[in-house]
PDB file of all heavy atoms in Angstrom:
ATOM      1  N   GLY S 153       1.962   8.195  -7.566  1.00 93.00           N
ATOM      2  CA  GLY S 153       2.868   8.993  -8.283  1.00 93.00           C
ATOM      3  C   GLY S 153       3.082   8.366  -9.682  1.00 93.00           C
ATOM      4  O   GLY S 153       2.690   7.332 -10.019  1.00 93.00           O
ATOM      5  N   ARG S 154       3.644   9.226 -10.583  1.00 85.00           N
ATOM      6  CA  ARG S 154       3.854   8.797 -11.939  1.00 85.00           C
ATOM      7  C   ARG S 154       5.327   8.242 -11.917  1.00 85.00           C
ATOM      8  O   ARG S 154       6.173   8.791 -12.629  1.00 85.00           O
ATOM      9  CB  ARG S 154       3.683   9.885 -12.931  1.00 85.00           C
ATOM     10  CG  ARG S 154       2.250  10.458 -13.074  1.00 85.00           C
ATOM     11  CD  ARG S 154       2.092  11.468 -14.126  1.00 85.00           C
ATOM     12  NE  ARG S 154       0.728  11.840 -14.334  1.00 85.00           N
ATOM     13  CZ  ARG S 154       0.113  12.826 -13.731  1.00 85.00           C
ATOM     14  NH1 ARG S 154       0.818  13.533 -12.873  1.00 85.00           N
ATOM     15  NH2 ARG S 154      -1.111  13.057 -14.012  1.00 85.00           N
ATOM     16  N   SER S 155       5.502   7.087 -11.247  1.00 73.00           N
ATOM     17  CA  SER S 155       6.808   6.549 -11.159  1.00 73.00           C
ATOM     18  C   SER S 155       7.276   5.756 -12.263  1.00 73.00           C
ATOM     19  O   SER S 155       6.430   5.317 -13.131  1.00 73.00           O
ATOM     20  CB  SER S 155       6.835   5.644  -9.860  1.00 73.00           C
ATOM     21  OG  SER S 155       6.002   4.573 -10.042  1.00 73.00           O
ATOM     22  N   ILE S 156       8.569   5.629 -12.439  1.00 78.00           N
ATOM     23  CA  ILE S 156       9.203   4.808 -13.440  1.00 78.00           C
ATOM     24  C   ILE S 156       9.550   3.550 -12.704  1.00 78.00           C
ATOM     25  O   ILE S 156       9.658   3.443 -11.525  1.00 78.00           O
ATOM     26  CB  ILE S 156      10.366   5.445 -14.126  1.00 78.00           C
ATOM     27  CG1 ILE S 156      11.415   5.806 -13.126  1.00 78.00           C
ATOM     28  CG2 ILE S 156       9.880   6.736 -14.895  1.00 78.00           C
ATOM     29  CD1 ILE S 156      12.700   6.442 -13.745  1.00 78.00           C
ATOM     30  N   LEU S 157       9.882   2.513 -13.521  1.00 82.00           N
ATOM     31  CA  LEU S 157      10.144   1.233 -12.926  1.00 82.00           C
ATOM     32  C   LEU S 157      11.308   1.270 -11.954  1.00 82.00           C
ATOM     33  O   LEU S 157      11.363   0.542 -10.961  1.00 82.00           O
ATOM     34  CB  LEU S 157      10.427   0.164 -14.020  1.00 82.00           C
ATOM     35  CG  LEU S 157       9.186  -0.343 -14.708  1.00 82.00           C
ATOM     36  CD1 LEU S 157       9.623  -1.308 -15.851  1.00 82.00           C
ATOM     37  CD2 LEU S 157       8.339  -1.139 -13.724  1.00 82.00           C
ATOM     38  N   SER S 158      12.362   2.104 -12.272  1.00 87.00           N
ATOM     39  CA  SER S 158      13.530   2.144 -11.409  1.00 87.00           C
ATOM     40  C   SER S 158      13.330   2.707 -10.088  1.00 87.00           C
ATOM     41  O   SER S 158      14.053   2.511  -9.086  1.00 87.00           O
ATOM     42  CB  SER S 158      14.627   2.953 -12.145  1.00 87.00           C
ATOM     43  OG  SER S 158      14.207   4.328 -12.347  1.00 87.00           O
ATOM     44  N   THR S 159      12.170   3.512  -9.845  1.00 91.00           N
ATOM     45  CA  THR S 159      11.896   4.102  -8.540  1.00 91.00           C
ATOM     46  C   THR S 159      10.659   3.569  -8.021  1.00 91.00           C
ATOM     47  O   THR S 159      10.205   4.099  -6.899  1.00 91.00           O
ATOM     48  CB  THR S 159      11.836   5.611  -8.726  1.00 91.00           C
ATOM     49  OG1 THR S 159      10.794   6.029  -9.608  1.00 91.00           O
ATOM     50  CG2 THR S 159      13.116   6.218  -9.100  1.00 91.00           C
ATOM     51  N   MET S 160       9.918   2.658  -8.549  1.00 92.00           N
ATOM     52  CA  MET S 160       8.744   2.095  -8.031  1.00 92.00           C
ATOM     53  C   MET S 160       8.827   1.551  -6.639  1.00 92.00           C
ATOM     54  O   MET S 160       7.893   1.670  -5.902  1.00 92.00           O
ATOM     55  CB  MET S 160       8.198   1.081  -9.078  1.00 92.00           C
ATOM     56  CG  MET S 160       6.845   0.508  -8.643  1.00 92.00           C
ATOM     57  SD  MET S 160       6.416  -0.918  -9.608  1.00 92.00           S
ATOM     58  CE  MET S 160       7.551  -2.171  -8.968  1.00 92.00           C
ATOM     59  N   ARG S 161       9.930   0.916  -6.337  1.00 95.00           N
ATOM     60  CA  ARG S 161      10.059   0.294  -5.034  1.00 95.00           C
ATOM     61  C   ARG S 161      10.707   1.169  -3.963  1.00 95.00           C
ATOM     62  O   ARG S 161      11.047   0.780  -2.855  1.00 95.00           O
ATOM     63  CB  ARG S 161      10.947  -0.918  -5.213  1.00 95.00           C
ATOM     64  CG  ARG S 161      10.277  -1.995  -6.062  1.00 95.00           C
ATOM     65  CD  ARG S 161      11.256  -3.160  -6.245  1.00 95.00           C
ATOM     66  NE  ARG S 161      10.583  -4.267  -7.143  1.00 95.00           N
ATOM     67  CZ  ARG S 161       9.879  -5.225  -6.660  1.00 95.00           C
ATOM     68  NH1 ARG S 161       9.692  -5.367  -5.382  1.00 95.00           N
ATOM     69  NH2 ARG S 161       9.327  -6.042  -7.507  1.00 95.00           N
ATOM     70  N   SER S 162      10.810   2.509  -4.275  1.00 94.00           N
ATOM     71  CA  SER S 162      11.409   3.408  -3.282  1.00 94.00           C
ATOM     72  C   SER S 162      10.424   4.663  -3.141  1.00 94.00           C
ATOM     73  O   SER S 162       9.618   4.895  -3.988  1.00 94.00           O
ATOM     74  CB  SER S 162      12.739   3.891  -3.694  1.00 94.00           C
ATOM     75  OG  SER S 162      12.726   4.672  -4.847  1.00 94.00           O
ATOM     76  N   GLU S 163      10.613   5.318  -2.031  1.00 94.00           N
ATOM     77  CA  GLU S 163       9.768   6.478  -1.824  1.00 94.00           C
ATOM     78  C   GLU S 163       9.786   7.632  -2.784  1.00 94.00           C
ATOM     79  O   GLU S 163       8.914   8.338  -3.057  1.00 94.00           O
ATOM     80  CB  GLU S 163      10.050   7.173  -0.415  1.00 94.00           C
ATOM     81  CG  GLU S 163       9.987   6.123   0.758  1.00 94.00           C
ATOM     82  CD  GLU S 163      11.301   5.580   1.127  1.00 94.00           C
ATOM     83  OE1 GLU S 163      11.942   4.859   0.280  1.00 94.00           O
ATOM     84  OE2 GLU S 163      11.861   5.878   2.232  1.00 94.00           O
ATOM     85  N   THR S 164      11.001   7.641  -3.514  1.00 93.00           N
ATOM     86  CA  THR S 164      11.185   8.652  -4.461  1.00 93.00           C
ATOM     87  C   THR S 164      10.339   8.602  -5.729  1.00 93.00           C
ATOM     88  O   THR S 164      10.222   9.528  -6.503  1.00 93.00           O
ATOM     89  CB  THR S 164      12.702   8.716  -4.952  1.00 93.00           C
ATOM     90  OG1 THR S 164      13.039   7.419  -5.465  1.00 93.00           O
ATOM     91  CG2 THR S 164      13.682   8.962  -3.772  1.00 93.00           C
ATOM     92  N   GLY S 165       9.766   7.442  -5.902  1.00 92.00           N
ATOM     93  CA  GLY S 165       8.840   7.271  -7.052  1.00 92.00           C
ATOM     94  C   GLY S 165       7.444   7.767  -6.843  1.00 92.00           C
ATOM     95  O   GLY S 165       6.623   7.692  -7.758  1.00 92.00           O
ATOM     96  N   TYR S 166       7.122   8.366  -5.690  1.00 94.00           N
ATOM     97  CA  TYR S 166       5.796   8.781  -5.345  1.00 94.00           C
ATOM     98  C   TYR S 166       5.703  10.215  -4.909  1.00 94.00           C
ATOM     99  O   TYR S 166       6.603  10.749  -4.073  1.00 94.00           O
ATOM    100  CB  TYR S 166       5.197   7.852  -4.239  1.00 94.00           C
ATOM    101  CG  TYR S 166       5.220   6.340  -4.674  1.00 94.00           C
ATOM    102  CD1 TYR S 166       6.325   5.632  -4.522  1.00 94.00           C
ATOM    103  CD2 TYR S 166       4.067   5.881  -5.356  1.00 94.00           C
ATOM    104  CE1 TYR S 166       6.316   4.291  -4.941  1.00 94.00           C
ATOM    105  CE2 TYR S 166       4.130   4.558  -5.739  1.00 94.00           C
ATOM    106  CZ  TYR S 166       5.221   3.815  -5.562  1.00 94.00           C
ATOM    107  OH  TYR S 166       5.288   2.487  -6.007  1.00 94.00           O
ATOM    108  N   ASN S 167       4.679  10.907  -5.292  1.00 92.00           N
ATOM    109  CA  ASN S 167       4.466  12.336  -5.022  1.00 92.00           C
ATOM    110  C   ASN S 167       3.478  12.599  -3.891  1.00 92.00           C
ATOM    111  O   ASN S 167       3.649  13.607  -3.169  1.00 92.00           O
ATOM    112  CB  ASN S 167       4.100  13.079  -6.185  1.00 92.00           C
ATOM    113  CG  ASN S 167       5.067  13.002  -7.373  1.00 92.00           C
ATOM    114  OD1 ASN S 167       4.685  12.275  -8.389  1.00 92.00           O
ATOM    115  ND2 ASN S 167       6.141  13.549  -7.319  1.00 92.00           N
ATOM    116  N   TYR S 168       2.558  11.725  -3.792  1.00 94.00           N
ATOM    117  CA  TYR S 168       1.452  11.874  -2.806  1.00 94.00           C
ATOM    118  C   TYR S 168       1.406  10.714  -1.785  1.00 94.00           C
ATOM    119  O   TYR S 168       1.528   9.542  -2.138  1.00 94.00           O
ATOM    120  CB  TYR S 168       0.117  11.945  -3.543  1.00 94.00           C
ATOM    121  CG  TYR S 168       0.083  13.017  -4.623  1.00 94.00           C
ATOM    122  CD1 TYR S 168       0.217  12.698  -5.979  1.00 94.00           C
ATOM    123  CD2 TYR S 168      -0.022  14.341  -4.272  1.00 94.00           C
ATOM    124  CE1 TYR S 168       0.183  13.631  -6.925  1.00 94.00           C
ATOM    125  CE2 TYR S 168      -0.041  15.331  -5.302  1.00 94.00           C
ATOM    126  CZ  TYR S 168       0.079  14.980  -6.606  1.00 94.00           C
ATOM    127  OH  TYR S 168       0.061  15.865  -7.590  1.00 94.00           O
ATOM    128  N   TRP S 169       1.283  11.068  -0.512  1.00 96.00           N
ATOM    129  CA  TRP S 169       1.279  10.061   0.556  1.00 96.00           C
ATOM    130  C   TRP S 169       0.077  10.259   1.452  1.00 96.00           C
ATOM    131  O   TRP S 169      -0.318  11.395   1.772  1.00 96.00           O
ATOM    132  CB  TRP S 169       2.561  10.194   1.316  1.00 96.00           C
ATOM    133  CG  TRP S 169       3.737   9.719   0.589  1.00 96.00           C
ATOM    134  CD1 TRP S 169       4.482  10.540  -0.278  1.00 96.00           C
ATOM    135  CD2 TRP S 169       4.403   8.478   0.625  1.00 96.00           C
ATOM    136  NE1 TRP S 169       5.547   9.738  -0.746  1.00 96.00           N
ATOM    137  CE2 TRP S 169       5.504   8.516  -0.285  1.00 96.00           C
ATOM    138  CE3 TRP S 169       4.086   7.286   1.387  1.00 96.00           C
ATOM    139  CZ2 TRP S 169       6.317   7.432  -0.436  1.00 96.00           C
ATOM    140  CZ3 TRP S 169       4.981   6.210   1.216  1.00 96.00           C
ATOM    141  CH2 TRP S 169       6.032   6.261   0.345  1.00 96.00           C
ATOM    142  N   GLY S 170      -0.471   9.148   1.933  1.00 97.00           N
ATOM    143  CA  GLY S 170      -1.405   9.159   3.054  1.00 97.00           C
ATOM    144  C   GLY S 170      -0.715   9.362   4.354  1.00 97.00           C
ATOM    145  O   GLY S 170       0.523   9.337   4.470  1.00 97.00           O
ATOM    146  N   GLN S 171      -1.554   9.465   5.367  1.00 96.00           N
ATOM    147  CA  GLN S 171      -1.036   9.657   6.726  1.00 96.00           C
ATOM    148  C   GLN S 171      -0.728   8.360   7.454  1.00 96.00           C
ATOM    149  O   GLN S 171      -0.066   8.377   8.555  1.00 96.00           O
ATOM    150  CB  GLN S 171      -1.990  10.501   7.577  1.00 96.00           C
ATOM    151  CG  GLN S 171      -2.044  11.957   7.090  1.00 96.00           C
ATOM    152  CD  GLN S 171      -3.058  12.805   7.890  1.00 96.00           C
ATOM    153  OE1 GLN S 171      -3.855  12.246   8.649  1.00 96.00           O
ATOM    154  NE2 GLN S 171      -2.780  14.102   7.849  1.00 96.00           N
ATOM    155  N   GLY S 172      -1.101   7.240   6.872  1.00 97.00           N
ATOM    156  CA  GLY S 172      -0.879   5.900   7.462  1.00 97.00           C
ATOM    157  C   GLY S 172      -1.872   5.374   8.370  1.00 97.00           C
ATOM    158  O   GLY S 172      -2.691   6.130   8.980  1.00 97.00           O
TER     159      GLY S 172
END
Side-chain angles (χ1 to χ4, degrees):
R154 293 187 175 91
S155 65
I156 59 177
L157 284 174
S158 61
T159 60
M160 182 191 68
R161 296 176 181 268
S162 68
E163 306 98 293
T164 60
Y166 302 87
N167 304 107
Y168 307 102
W169 292 82
Q171 294 183 335

